Amino acid sequence: MSEHQGQPAERPDGDPAPHQASALPAATVFDALGAEYERAFAGSAAHHASLDRLLEHLAPGSRVLDVGSGTGVPTARRLAAAGHRVVGVDVSPVMTALAARQVPDAEFRCADIRELPWADGEFDAVCVYFSLLQMSRGEQSGLLGRLARAVKPGGRLAVATVPVDVADVSAVFMGQPVVVSSFGEEEFASVVAGAGFAVEERHSVLFTPDHPAGAPEPHLFLHGRRI
């Protein structure tokens, strides 16, 4: 759940301001947050419900790519506990090390997801929970297209974002300066569909992170099938 990508999950707190060069790289942001990020977000009931829906669709021993795997909790932990073969990718060395300790049955790589080559149809499913927001809109669209090719036809997608219409704006996330981009709900669903996934379910909630700087933020969860 962290990654600039691939990142780390990025969710802006506070009001956006014009782009500023002082924003930190995603790896720096999530290295600083470490387990604090997990405490703030891992208890999301909507996230766990999304994982429940994904698990219902996976065949035993499925190979799943977790983009922006963060500390491994809850996504990689729940998938690995269900017997699936999880490959997590996160740009933060601190997050990746935490994940490897917390979910020893999964494989974790510290890398930028945009720079890793994947074979066509290498995975049965891909998870992208809040790991696009520190990427530009064009990067988000391009990455979703690449991830679609990495998933087998008929394979599954679980993706979540903060559905706000912003592009390259500055924000403060849990005390860290970041630059974020996102799409409104309908446009994001269209981007996911344009990448090659049939969007089958969507769920919107308002979530407040368990953190002193946490404020209510909209979360959008989509589930899709590779066409």
Side-chain angles (χ1 to χ4, degrees):
M1 301 168 59
S2 82
E3 286 216 20
H4 170 197
Q5 317 119 256
Q7 285 178 185
E10 303 87 282
R11 311 174 221 197
D13 294 336
D15 296 328
H19 176 92
Q20 297 176 0
S22 59
L24 299 174
T28 303
V29 170
F30 289 94
D31 278 351
L33 292 176
E36 185 179 6
Y37 178 89
E38 179 184 317
R39 288 191 294 271
F41 288 96
S44 166
H47 190 150
H48 283 275
S50 175
L51 288 168
D52 289 340
R53 290 193 290 274
L54 176 62
L55 286 165
E56 290 173 359
H57 290 291
L58 295 181
S62 290
R63 183 169 166 82
V64 184
L65 176 62
D66 182 11
V67 176
S69 46
T71 67
V73 178
T75 303
R77 175 179 282 175
R78 290 203 52 194
L79 291 167
H84 300 297
R85 297 169 293 150
V86 181
V87 178
V89 179
D90 200 290
V91 76
S92 163
V94 170
M95 291 283 203
T96 305
L98 280 169
R101 291 197 297 271
Q102 296 194 128
V103 193
D105 292 335
E107 173 190 348
F108 295 97
R109 305 178 189 178
C110 183
D112 187 325
I113 191 71
R114 298 167 300 176
E115 298 173 357
L116 293 178
W118 306 108
D120 289 352
E122 184 172 349
F123 296 95
D124 299 295
V126 60
C127 299
V128 193
Y129 285 110
F130 303 103
S131 50
L132 299 173
L133 292 158
Q134 277 180 263
M135 304 171 71
S136 70
R137 288 176 166 183
E139 288 174 321
Q140 292 182 40
S141 299
L143 177 61
L144 286 166
R146 287 189 59 226
L147 293 175
R149 292 189 292 274
V151 175
K152 297 175 182 177
R156 310 303 303 187
L157 166 74
V159 60
T161 192
V162 177
V164 292
D165 184 11
V166 296
D168 299 321
V169 298
S170 295
V172 177
F173 173 61
M174 295 178 67
Q176 303 293 318
V178 295
V179 171
V180 298
S181 297
S182 189
F183 302 90
E185 182 170 332
E186 295 301 327
E187 189 175 3
F188 186 69
S190 296
V191 169
V192 171
F197 293 100
V199 178
E200 298 180 338
E201 297 181 59
R202 69 168 75 179
H203 182 56
S204 298
V205 299
L206 195 64
F207 178 76
T208 302
D210 184 10
H211 185 269
E217 56 188 49
H219 288 179
L220 172 65
F221 294 82
L222 299 182
H223 282 259
R225 174 180 46 82
R226 172 72 171 98
I227 299 170

